[in-house]
Amino acid sequence: MGENERTMNNIKGKGVAERSRANHNYSGEDEDDDKITSFSFPSVKSSPRNASSKYDFVKVRVWLGDNADHYYVLSRFLLSRMLTVTKIPNHVAIKIALELKKLLIDNSLLDVSQSDLEVNLFKLMERRGYGEEYINRYKMMTRFHHQRVPLVILVCGTACVGKSTIATQLAQRLNLPNVLQTDMVYELLRTATDAPLASTPVWERDFSSSEELITEFCRECRIVRKGLNGDLKKAMKDGKPIIIEGIHLDPSIYLMDDEHKATTSVAEGHQPNPLSVASNSAVQVENNCTSTSGSNVVNSQNHLVHGVPADQVNKVSESLESIALATASENKGETVKAAEVNGSTTRKEKPGPKPIIIPIVLKMAEFDHKALLEERITTRTLNGKCVVQDTDKLITNLKTIQNYLCSFESQGLTVVNVAATTFPQTLDWLHGYLLQCIEQGISSESNEKSRQPAEK
């Protein structure tokens, strides 16, 4: 018995030592761990989410401004998230953030300026092969967050094309916390208000013609736009980025009257810029909606309103008018003090930065689209959420909506082909495209600010 007890104790001791060594090495630090000290209690194996480094217990203060009036505590997590925005892989970004923290603490740099922090960070990035291109992206995104430029990314498309997946992945890559789904807004409006919305999706219903389908689709999109008013207003006013994805996104609402603007710029000798078209769309929507209530429904697609009852037209007109009145007074960043009876002067505050609105339409080939749709129908049928439906009819309706959405490509809308075999490449391209759009938006804003003092 004595021998067996000693053997069991030795095995337990080795197990404790091995687990403790594994926990010690998980933090990613490159330290010698050959020596094993005695342990008075068994260690519990930690989960990867709770892993930390000893450097996380030391605070490094980063001071801001010329006079170093304010500071923030350096966070490895936030720094690594910022690095992933520049298209650095996540595992490399985590290592760079840890190396920077170790460098500062080992050299007793517990109080450092923002400029010195960035100098050391850029050296570590170059050492790992991420040079000038990635450094410029980091500087650009830093300016973007400092200027609090409103950013609205619209991921449009029909059902089963990967809108939610792409929107979530882009939000993670660009470090954007807000992703809003129009399906949720649709259900809230349908169940909690008296909005004229059906429980069955528009692409699952029967219509006598494609024009009737598009008319109903546009009507529902305008009702959902009213439900999005609060989130869009907050994004414009506070300069917070947001991604909106879903089938109930009609580009005509966000690109209204852009064709006229593009024609004007071509006449002046300038090439129309898709980003400039999109960035002006918010103000254009407000101005166009407040001009006449009757023209709100028609916009650039006059043939779509035929066959719509008059009460529906009036409801949509009233909805758009209320949207315009609510957003026009707050989205532009201007507050005008009303002139009093005694003739006091009107005071205007400095307008906020011009919003960057990037609409994207996802398009999928018919073969892949049909396969995903059949899988969705099968899953919902097994769960008892829907009955067996005619797949060909659904594909026809979805294709009609998809053709309508893609028709705005001539007005500067970006149409992206999505396929299961090239999904990672598509995601990488979208990541780079959005960074390019943000850079163009910031550059145009800077050029406009530099022109204003010269004109004065």
Side-chain angles (χ1 to χ4, degrees):
M1 289 294 294
E3 251 181 66
N4 291 336
E5 288 180 359
R6 283 196 298 273
T7 304
M8 293 298 294
N9 289 335
N10 290 335
I11 293 174
K12 289 181 180 179
K14 290 180 181 178
V16 169
E18 289 177 358
R19 287 195 300 269
S20 302
R21 185 189 302 178
N23 291 336
H24 178 70
N25 290 339
Y26 184 79
S27 62
E29 302 170 28
D30 302 325
E31 296 181 351
D32 296 333
D33 54 351
D34 295 334
K35 298 179 181 179
I36 303 175
T37 57
S38 60
F39 297 91
S40 58
F41 55 90
S43 62
V44 180
K45 188 174 181 179
S46 60
S47 63
R49 187 174 296 180
N50 296 328
S52 61
S53 166
K54 70 177 184 180
Y55 291 95
D56 293 332
F57 296 97
V58 182
K59 291 183 179 180
V60 176
R61 295 183 293 184
V62 183
W63 293 87
L64 304 172
D66 298 332
N67 300 323
D69 299 328
H70 307 281
Y71 75 89
Y72 67 90
V73 178
L74 179 63
S75 168
R76 279 202 303 134
F77 172 74
L78 295 179
L79 180 59
S80 63
R81 291 294 300 270
M82 189 68 177
L83 291 174
T84 56
V85 177
T86 66
K87 303 190 74 171
I88 295 178
N90 185 51
H91 67 281
V92 180
I94 293 174
K95 291 180 180 179
I96 293 176
L98 178 60
E99 289 175 358
L100 179 63
K101 193 81 177 285
K102 290 171 65 176
L103 177 67
L104 296 176
I105 294 176
D106 292 344
N107 290 278
S108 301
L109 298 174
L110 302 183
D111 288 277
V112 63
S113 64
Q114 179 69 27
S115 58
D116 292 339
L117 176 76
E118 291 180 351
V119 168
N120 289 287
L121 174 62
F122 297 157
K123 288 181 180 178
L124 293 175
M125 291 170 62
E126 290 177 342
R127 188 181 303 172
R128 287 191 170 269
Y130 300 96
E132 184 178 357
E133 180 182 0
Y134 296 87
I135 293 173
N136 290 336
R137 288 174 187 163
Y138 183 92
K139 293 179 179 178
M140 182 266 295
M141 291 304 298
T142 302
R143 292 198 309 271
F144 167 74
H145 289 296
H146 286 175
Q147 295 176 10
R148 301 183 69 85
V149 181
L151 173 65
V152 179
I153 301 174
L154 304 172
V155 183
C156 315
T158 59
C160 302
V161 294
K163 300 181 301 298
S164 300
T165 304
I166 285 183
T168 304
Q169 292 288 333
L170 289 176
Q172 184 177 359
R173 286 180 173 226
L174 296 172
N175 197 19
L176 304 180
N178 302 317
V179 178
L180 188 59
Q181 296 179 334
T182 59
D183 291 343
M184 297 179 61
V185 178
Y186 183 94
E187 285 300 315
L188 286 174
L189 292 174
R190 185 182 68 84
T191 57
T193 66
D194 57 351
L197 298 173
S199 58
T200 306
V202 63
W203 51 276
E204 292 184 8
R205 299 178 222 156
D206 294 323
F207 294 95
S208 58
S209 63
S210 58
E211 288 79 10
E212 185 181 353
L213 169 60
I214 297 301
T215 300
E216 179 65 13
F217 171 73
C218 294
R219 184 190 69 84
E220 291 186 354
C221 287
R222 281 169 172 76
I223 296 176
V224 172
R225 170 61 178 84
K226 182 180 179 181
L228 294 171
N229 182 46
D231 297 279
L232 288 173
K233 186 164 57 176
K234 187 173 182 63
M236 298 294 176
K237 184 179 180 182
D238 300 341
K240 292 184 178 180
I242 185 173
I243 298 179
I244 304 176
E245 64 90 7
I247 190 175
H248 295 96
L249 290 175
D250 182 7
S252 67
I253 300 177
Y254 305 92
L255 298 177
M256 191 178 296
D257 207 27
D258 288 340
E259 194 171 311
H260 171 71
K261 190 172 184 63
T263 306
T264 305
S265 52
V266 170
E268 294 175 356
H270 300 288
Q271 202 69 14
N273 188 352
L275 179 61
S276 63
V277 167
S279 62
N280 291 322
S281 58
V283 179
Q284 292 170 1
V285 169
E286 296 161 11
N287 295 337
N288 291 327
C289 289
T290 52
S291 57
T292 56
S293 61
S295 62
N296 286 330
V297 184
V298 182
N299 58 65
S300 60
Q301 280 75 30
N302 294 326
H303 63 281
L304 296 180
V305 298
H306 296 299
V308 181
D311 57 342
Q312 292 185 5
V313 175
N314 294 333
K315 287 181 181 178
V316 176
S317 301
E318 293 173 2
S319 301
L320 286 176
E321 187 174 0
S322 63
I323 293 170
L325 293 175
T327 54
S329 61
E330 299 187 28
N331 288 359
K332 299 177 184 179
E334 297 182 1
T335 56
V336 182
K337 188 176 181 180
E340 297 178 357
V341 180
N342 56 7
S344 62
T345 59
T346 302
R347 179 177 61 85
K348 279 189 177 181
E349 290 186 2
K350 187 178 179 181
K354 185 182 296 183
I356 302 175
I357 300 181
I358 311 174
I360 299 170
V361 173
L362 302 182
K363 180 182 179 181
M364 183 173 286
E366 185 174 347
F367 178 79
D368 293 338
H369 203 178
K370 188 173 182 179
L372 291 175
L373 184 62
E374 288 177 348
E375 182 180 352
R376 178 181 185 270
I377 293 174
T378 303
T379 304
R380 291 173 62 87
T381 304
L382 293 176
N383 294 335
K385 295 183 179 180
C386 70
V387 296
V388 180
Q389 295 171 298
D390 185 5
T391 308
D392 293 333
K393 184 196 73 173
L394 300 182
I395 284 291
T396 302
N397 289 344
L398 290 176
K399 191 174 181 179
T400 302
I401 298 176
Q402 180 172 273
N403 292 338
Y404 169 75
L405 296 175
C406 295
S407 66
F408 293 93
E409 188 174 8
S410 60
Q411 300 185 30
L413 196 69
T414 302
V415 178
V416 181
N417 293 314
V418 181
T421 55
T422 59
F423 187 81
Q425 292 82 352
T426 302
L427 196 60
D428 288 336
W429 185 88
L430 282 172
H431 187 175
Y433 171 73
L434 293 177
L435 289 176
Q436 182 182 0
C437 291
I438 294 172
E439 184 177 7
Q440 291 178 5
I442 295 176
S443 300
S444 61
E445 181 70 19
S446 302
N447 294 335
E448 191 170 332
K449 286 183 178 180
S450 60
R451 281 200 305 267
Q452 288 177 356
E455 292 174 357
K456 290 181 181 180

